Amino acid sequence: MRQDDSDYDNFAEFSYLSSDDDDDDLNAIESDDQAEFDSDNAVAFLLDELEAALPPELSYSVLTESDIRGRIDDDVAQLSAVLCLPKSEATLILRHFDWDASKAEDSWFADEFKVRRHVGLPTAVAQKVTSPPSDHHILTCKICFEPHPLTSFNSADCGHRFCRCCLRKYIAHSVNDGPRCLQLRCPEPSCKILVGDELINQIADENDRKKYSNFAIRSYVENSSRRKWCPAPNCQHAVEFMSFGDLNYDVSCLCSHSFCWSCSEDKHSPVDCETVKNWSLKNASESQNEMWKKVNTKPCPKCSRAIEKNEGFIEGRMKRYQHYYERWAANEKSRQIAIRDLKDVRENVVSEIGRVHRQNHSQLMFLTEAWEQIVECRRVLKWTYAYGYYLPIGEAAKKQFFEYLQGQAETCLERLHDCAEKEMKRFVVQGSCMHEYAAFRMKLNELTKMCKTYFENLVRALENGLSDVETGMNG
């Protein structure tokens, strides 16, 4: 999708994306390759205003299960101290207010009685039911209607006593019923008091305690607007934001999966969540159209274009979609292959090159960094085709500039990919001299850095809506 450089005189005021020092380094390594990039110097794609338009760096943390348990304990301890309550009651209050401590405190001090009633805690005027006379050591359980020693009974904070065996079964049934067990109430039909964690831990068996604890952890993450689970398969980590607003946030989990905070889809910059949604729906719809096309069309005998069997040529908008979709899918396929290659580099190639050239792990980080950049660039390039599909056809200047930027980035990526894939192979085996290896290392480093800059600028330009086209044209 590259264009003649002469078409872009109006964009000459855009600053070039790489420094002269970078050009000199690459020229010393491979003058022929550098010449290709020198021909592209007429255009660049980042104004000073772009930097100012970038959102501030946002703060988030990736939480392990141990981290989550620690956060729960800390939040409970803090609220318990502020409200002068047992930790078991503080836990129930926080769950009721979706772990929003500020909201819980404000509501409590505004109307403690109302909070107790809504949460399911004993009120100040209705404390525990008085115990039976001390000389009655045998009680009848209201669930099994069997007599048991007084020492075999337990109760929630309401004081309604039931035998331990029945309470254990009652808890087990509730735990197996799902996360609603966190709102388990006293078995007494008329009682609204909740069964707290303290009684659960005393009565339930180990398996049910573990299930209950897992539901509590899920509650801490899923009921909060500041926390989300990583959507990667089999990942048990959560992400917590310290601050957020109305933007698309890309976050990276400890499992190496990157996703959009707003929609939980895979990382999709430079397109927004709405574009991803529309593109996914479009792909699903067009997959049905493909089935229709196979049944109802045939190749034109003169030009081989698809035509309806009884009408004429299929609509051009379908052909346009296929153009963008095929390139979108091809880059996703290349990205998946690059991910596998990255894994091989980490697990095999690095150690082998290190052995052959007597390099330690830190000296070989440039190899994995190059492949990580390839994976990221394939991801960005994939989504530029969805961006291009939804770019208004009438905005010719933006379309022209977009295709130029896309072509430049694609060319840069192909050079990096070619160097990392083909040239690296000769250094895995014996026979190459240190001078050649040093030149390869410098070249791959510079290509990685240059590609990173190209794609960062491309993303910024697209996220900015290519608004700098008008700036360049009107300047």
Side-chain angles (χ1 to χ4, degrees), residues 154-359:
N154 286 87
S155 73
D157 288 341
C158 56
H160 295 118
R161 298 181 184 273
F162 302 90
C163 76
R164 195 171 294 112
C165 181
C166 287
L167 280 176
R168 184 176 294 112
K169 292 178 181 179
Y170 178 67
I171 292 171
H173 177 77
S174 176
V175 168
N176 290 326
D177 196 34
R180 288 184 296 177
C181 65
L182 298 178
Q183 299 297 319
L184 182 62
R185 297 188 179 273
C186 169
E188 178 70 31
S190 62
C191 186
K192 303 297 183 182
I193 301 301
L194 290 183
V195 176
D197 293 23
E198 186 176 358
L199 184 60
I200 299 289
N201 293 329
Q202 288 178 1
I203 299 300
D205 61 30
E206 182 178 356
N207 187 51
D208 289 334
R209 287 199 303 270
K210 185 175 181 179
K211 290 180 181 179
Y212 184 87
S213 177
N214 289 337
F215 285 131
I217 290 176
R218 285 177 54 183
S219 164
Y220 186 76
V221 175
E222 295 167 9
N223 293 346
S224 168
S225 60
R226 295 196 299 117
R227 290 178 283 271
K228 286 185 178 180
W229 292 112
C230 172
N234 303 318
C235 182
Q236 301 298 318
H237 298 141
V239 177
E240 180 179 60
F241 255 104
M242 301 298 104
S243 60
F244 52 91
D246 296 326
L247 299 174
N248 298 328
Y249 307 128
D250 291 330
V251 300
S252 297
C253 182
L254 296 178
C255 71
S256 298
H257 179 67
S258 296
F259 65 97
C260 172
W261 171 264
S262 298
C263 66
S264 296
E265 295 290 341
D266 289 354
K267 183 179 178 182
H268 54 70
S269 59
V271 300
D272 57 24
C273 299
E274 187 65 21
T275 299
V276 173
K277 178 182 176 181
N278 292 337
W279 182 250
S280 298
L281 292 173
K282 180 70 175 176
N283 293 344
S285 174
E286 292 299 333
S287 66
Q288 297 176 358
N289 289 342
E290 276 298 309
M291 294 299 296
W292 176 90
K293 181 180 173 183
K294 290 179 181 179
V295 174
N296 296 283
T297 67
K298 61 182 179 181
C300 173
K302 294 183 179 180
C303 66
S304 298
R305 286 176 57 191
I307 58 173
E308 292 189 47
K309 293 179 178 178
N310 297 320
E311 299 293 336
F313 291 105
I314 62 172
E315 294 184 41
R317 68 175 173 268
M318 179 180 291
K319 185 176 180 180
R320 178 174 177 271
Y321 163 76
Q322 288 177 329
H323 168 83
Y324 285 98
Y325 175 79
E326 287 170 0
R327 287 155 180 78
W328 179 87
N331 275 283
E332 172 59 17
K333 182 178 180 180
S334 297
R335 188 180 77 92
Q336 292 300 327
I337 294 174
I339 289 173
R340 293 197 295 269
D341 290 340
L342 171 60
K343 182 180 180 182
D344 181 59
V345 168
R346 284 172 172 164
E347 297 178 353
N348 302 307
V349 175
V350 167
S351 59
E352 188 62 23
I353 291 182
R355 182 187 65 80
V356 171
H357 296 278
R358 298 180 181 179
Q359 300 274 292

Side-chain angles (χ1 to χ4, degrees), residues 282-473:
K282 180 70 175 176
N283 293 344
S285 174
E286 292 299 333
S287 66
Q288 297 176 358
N289 289 342
E290 276 298 309
M291 294 299 296
W292 176 90
K293 181 180 173 183
K294 290 179 181 179
V295 174
N296 296 283
T297 67
K298 61 182 179 181
C300 173
K302 294 183 179 180
C303 66
S304 298
R305 286 176 57 191
I307 58 173
E308 292 189 47
K309 293 179 178 178
N310 297 320
E311 299 293 336
F313 291 105
I314 62 172
E315 294 184 41
R317 68 175 173 268
M318 179 180 291
K319 185 176 180 180
R320 178 174 177 271
Y321 163 76
Q322 288 177 329
H323 168 83
Y324 285 98
Y325 175 79
E326 287 170 0
R327 287 155 180 78
W328 179 87
N331 275 283
E332 172 59 17
K333 182 178 180 180
S334 297
R335 188 180 77 92
Q336 292 300 327
I337 294 174
I339 289 173
R340 293 197 295 269
D341 290 340
L342 171 60
K343 182 180 180 182
D344 181 59
V345 168
R346 284 172 172 164
E347 297 178 353
N348 302 307
V349 175
V350 167
S351 59
E352 188 62 23
I353 291 182
R355 182 187 65 80
V356 171
H357 296 278
R358 298 180 181 179
Q359 300 274 292
N360 60 39
H361 186 269
S362 62
Q363 292 173 308
L364 296 167
M365 287 295 292
F366 75 99
L367 295 172
T368 56
E369 288 172 356
W371 279 99
E372 288 169 350
Q373 189 62 50
I374 290 170
V375 171
E376 170 63 7
C377 289
R378 286 294 177 195
R379 183 199 65 77
V380 171
L381 194 58
K382 175 185 76 169
W383 284 112
T384 63
Y385 284 99
Y387 186 100
Y389 178 78
Y390 289 104
L391 194 63
I393 298 177
E395 297 186 4
K398 283 189 176 182
K399 182 176 185 294
Q400 190 179 37
F401 190 47
F402 161 73
E403 291 179 350
Y404 182 80
L405 299 183
Q406 187 186 53
Q408 295 297 295
E410 192 161 22
T411 299
C412 184
L413 173 57
E414 292 302 331
R415 292 185 63 207
L416 172 61
H417 204 158
D418 185 72
C419 180
E421 184 176 42
K422 296 179 181 178
E423 297 185 33
M424 183 180 67
K425 292 180 180 179
R426 56 192 289 243
F427 298 102
V428 179
V429 297
Q430 298 281 359
S432 58
C433 66
M434 286 303 298
H435 175 74
E436 292 175 334
Y437 173 76
F440 161 73
R441 175 174 179 170
M442 182 180 293
K443 177 182 179 181
L444 189 61
N445 268 326
E446 291 301 325
L447 285 174
T448 301
K449 181 169 63 174
M450 181 176 287
C451 210
K452 182 175 186 292
T453 303
Y454 260 97
F455 275 82
E456 285 179 348
N457 291 340
L458 173 62
V459 168
R460 290 171 184 174
L462 299 188
E463 289 182 338
N464 198 40
L466 295 171
S467 60
D468 299 306
V469 171
E470 286 83 2
T471 304
M473 300 280 292

Side-chain angles (χ1 to χ4, degrees), residues 1-252:
M1 301 183 68
R2 300 186 61 183
Q3 304 287 331
D4 192 325
D5 291 346
S6 62
D7 293 337
Y8 301 98
D9 293 338
N10 289 327
F11 306 123
E13 69 178 80
F14 288 89
S15 60
Y16 183 50
L17 56 90
S18 61
S19 68
D20 293 337
D21 292 339
D22 292 341
D23 294 340
D24 293 341
D25 290 340
L26 276 178
N27 188 54
I29 301 169
E30 191 176 22
S31 59
D32 290 340
D33 284 347
Q34 183 59 44
E36 296 179 14
F37 278 96
D38 290 340
S39 66
D40 298 331
N41 287 358
V43 171
F45 28 101
L46 185 61
L47 291 172
D48 293 337
E49 288 79 6
L50 267 179
E51 292 289 345
L54 290 175
E57 185 175 350
L58 300 170
S59 175
Y60 68 90
S61 300
V62 179
L63 307 178
T64 64
E65 181 178 326
S66 176
D67 295 331
I68 296 173
R69 293 184 186 277
R71 296 288 181 91
I72 291 175
D73 291 342
D74 291 344
D75 289 353
V76 168
Q78 183 173 355
L79 188 68
S80 174
V82 171
L83 303 186
C84 298
L85 292 174
K87 290 183 178 180
S88 58
E89 293 190 356
T91 300
L92 296 176
I93 292 173
L94 281 171
R95 283 183 193 152
H96 178 80
F97 288 98
D98 294 333
W99 297 96
D100 187 333
S102 297
K103 187 176 180 180
E105 292 174 15
D106 292 344
S107 298
W108 178 269
F109 290 120
D111 193 335
E112 176 185 341
F113 180 83
K114 181 179 179 180
V115 171
R116 284 185 173 275
R117 181 164 51 85
H118 286 176
V119 172
L121 298 177
T123 62
V125 296
Q127 295 298 327
K128 287 189 177 183
V129 176
T130 55
S131 301
S134 59
D135 56 342
H136 291 171
H137 300 293
I138 302 296
L139 293 178
T140 299
C141 175
K142 294 183 179 180
I143 296 178
C144 65
F145 299 103
E146 295 289 336
H148 301 279
L150 181 59
T151 54
S152 298
F153 284 77
N154 286 87
S155 73
D157 288 341
C158 56
H160 295 118
R161 298 181 184 273
F162 302 90
C163 76
R164 195 171 294 112
C165 181
C166 287
L167 280 176
R168 184 176 294 112
K169 292 178 181 179
Y170 178 67
I171 292 171
H173 177 77
S174 176
V175 168
N176 290 326
D177 196 34
R180 288 184 296 177
C181 65
L182 298 178
Q183 299 297 319
L184 182 62
R185 297 188 179 273
C186 169
E188 178 70 31
S190 62
C191 186
K192 303 297 183 182
I193 301 301
L194 290 183
V195 176
D197 293 23
E198 186 176 358
L199 184 60
I200 299 289
N201 293 329
Q202 288 178 1
I203 299 300
D205 61 30
E206 182 178 356
N207 187 51
D208 289 334
R209 287 199 303 270
K210 185 175 181 179
K211 290 180 181 179
Y212 184 87
S213 177
N214 289 337
F215 285 131
I217 290 176
R218 285 177 54 183
S219 164
Y220 186 76
V221 175
E222 295 167 9
N223 293 346
S224 168
S225 60
R226 295 196 299 117
R227 290 178 283 271
K228 286 185 178 180
W229 292 112
C230 172
N234 303 318
C235 182
Q236 301 298 318
H237 298 141
V239 177
E240 180 179 60
F241 255 104
M242 301 298 104
S243 60
F244 52 91
D246 296 326
L247 299 174
N248 298 328
Y249 307 128
D250 291 330
V251 300
S252 297

